[in-house]
Amino acid sequence: MAGNLPLKIKGVNELLQLRGLPATKHPLISIINIAELKEPPKQLDTALTTDLYFVGMSQFTQSCVKMKYGQQEYDFDKGVMNFIAPGRVFGFNAGLAEDVNPSGWLLLLHPDFLWNHPLALKIKQYEFFDYTVNEALFLSDKEEQTISGLFRNIEQEYSTNIDQFSQGIIISLIQSLLGYSERFYQRQFITRRITHHGIISQLRSLLEKAFSPEALEKNGIPAVKDISARLNISPNYLSGLLKTLTGYSTQQHIQEKIMEKAKEKLIMTDLSVNEIAFELGFEYPQSFSKLFKTKMNISPLEFRKSGRF
């Protein structure tokens, strides 16, 4: 393989064959019960990218598996879920000790399995497929039982004779799996509130610096990806966290800061609306006026005349 390009895998069976795992009973979907594997999957020395969705739950007696996502590597122990969307680059490095008995589940899903079903569009809206590996979902014992039960039910349906009802039943179970995962992520945002409070404080500090006259002149209005990169969090995870804890997404926090600075300038200075727009990093004053009216239900000039803050 030339350079450091990832190995491209298109189909479910292609990936299973590459890792030395049994072929799937259906070309578009596979359920792997890790505890029942007679031999561990073959290790790969290269990064991968696939056309598949991955939904995995890992359970280990000790932290023994490293997963590489991009350029970073992370250790995980029991009760952890990860989600990978098609087109993502990832790889695995595992060094299992002899006394370690790995268990868990892995769902491999080709998008074509969902063809002509509402989940084909809905699955793209689950933000956790764009979270990085260090933003994994850590399950409680009760949550772990719920998720394991859904994997078992999918395996049971998947292992029986395929008939006209099988695909619909399996898709329904996958919907439940994703729905519970979304619920448990919301719980994780809340239960880790103390840790996340520090992130919110950092966000506010970053926005204050980003909206200083010097920073705006040099960089313009900060983008969500820029803020998340400074916080070392994926954009979707940050927005999901903020929506749960504050009710506002990252973009809305940026807009609120714009409104704060705009109102200050409208009341405390004699700058024209166009001048304020340019100072706040807007290329076109019309865009500023439109955003202001959308957020405040009043135009910038009407706000200035009202004298309110």
Side-chain angles (χ1 to χ4, degrees):
M1 186 174 62
N4 295 318
L5 293 176
L7 180 62
K8 172 69 174 180
I9 302 295
K10 293 185 177 181
V12 173
N13 271 321
E14 184 181 357
L15 178 62
L16 295 176
Q17 183 178 9
L18 182 68
R19 303 212 64 195
L21 297 170
T24 178
K25 296 180 180 179
H26 193 292
L28 299 177
I29 186 172
S30 179
I31 282 283
I32 300 172
N33 185 342
I34 298 173
E36 293 184 356
L37 293 179
K38 296 180 179 179
E39 295 182 5
K42 291 180 180 177
Q43 297 307 308
L44 303 175
D45 296 327
T46 183
L48 298 177
T49 181
T50 78
D51 291 340
L52 311 174
Y53 286 98
F54 289 70
V55 179
M57 185 182 76
S58 304
Q59 302 160 297
F60 296 90
T61 56
Q62 57 179 289
S63 182
C64 57
V65 170
K66 297 180 183 295
M67 184 171 183
K68 190 171 185 181
Y69 194 101
Q71 298 301 313
Q72 293 182 286
E73 195 170 63
Y74 302 95
D75 293 307
F76 291 114
D77 52 20
K78 63 180 182 178
V80 177
M81 289 192 74
N82 288 107
F83 307 81
I84 301 176
R88 301 293 182 266
V89 177
F90 64 96
F92 292 95
N93 292 308
L96 297 181
E98 292 183 0
D99 60 340
V100 172
N101 297 311
S103 61
W105 300 87
L106 178 62
L107 166 66
L108 306 179
L109 177 68
H110 195 286
D112 288 353
F113 185 79
L114 306 176
W115 182 81
N116 208 30
H117 190 281
L119 187 57
L121 295 177
K122 174 66 175 176
I123 195 170
K124 298 177 182 179
Q125 298 172 14
Y126 287 105
E127 295 183 340
F128 46 71
F129 277 107
D130 287 318
Y131 294 170
T132 56
V133 174
N134 61 316
E135 296 160 351
L137 174 57
F138 293 83
L139 301 173
S140 68
D141 290 341
K142 186 175 181 180
E143 291 168 352
E144 197 172 307
Q145 292 172 12
T146 299
I147 295 297
S148 293
L150 286 167
F151 274 115
R152 289 192 185 93
N153 289 340
I154 295 173
E155 182 191 38
Q156 182 178 358
E157 183 62 33
Y158 166 82
S159 300
T160 59
N161 294 327
I162 301 295
D163 57 29
Q164 60 181 323
F165 302 103
S166 299
Q167 184 176 16
I169 293 172
I170 291 173
I171 290 177
S172 178
L173 290 167
I174 293 173
Q175 284 181 303
S176 295
L177 180 65
L178 298 177
Y180 274 110
S181 299
E182 186 172 39
R183 170 188 281 182
F184 297 156
Y185 255 117
Q186 297 306 307
R187 183 273 308 155
Q188 179 163 296
F189 291 148
I190 294 171
T191 55
R192 298 189 172 198
R193 187 182 296 271
I194 295 176
T195 301
H196 292 148
H197 179 74
I199 294 175
I200 295 173
S201 297
Q202 292 177 56
L203 170 69
R204 290 170 178 162
S205 176
L206 281 175
L207 287 177
E208 190 61 36
K209 293 177 181 177
F211 278 89
S212 67
E214 298 79 13
L216 284 171
E217 183 178 358
K218 181 179 179 181
N219 305 314
I221 298 172
V224 171
K225 65 177 182 179
D226 300 323
I227 296 296
S228 63
R230 292 288 299 276
L231 293 171
N232 197 29
I233 301 174
S234 67
N236 281 350
Y237 190 90
L238 178 60
S239 284
L241 167 65
L242 292 174
K243 281 188 286 187
T244 298
L245 297 183
T246 69
Y248 294 98
S249 67
T250 313
Q251 184 62 45
Q252 289 172 317
H253 276 275
I254 293 172
Q255 291 175 348
E256 288 299 310
K257 179 57 70 172
I258 292 173
M259 291 300 100
E260 176 188 317
K261 296 296 183 181
K263 288 187 288 184
E264 285 179 3
K265 292 178 183 295
L266 285 167
I267 297 299
M268 306 298 292
T269 75
D270 294 325
L271 295 172
S272 69
V273 172
N274 285 2
E275 289 172 329
I276 292 173
F278 290 131
E279 282 201 2
L280 290 176
F282 285 85
E283 185 176 357
Y284 303 105
Q286 300 93 325
S287 299
F288 165 70
S289 295
K290 182 179 179 180
L291 175 63
F292 192 96
K293 192 165 186 178
T294 298
K295 302 292 288 187
M296 301 298 299
N297 294 317
I298 190 173
S299 72
L301 282 178
E302 290 170 332
F303 179 86
R304 171 171 274 171
K305 289 178 182 178
S306 72
R308 64 187 176 92
F309 198 85

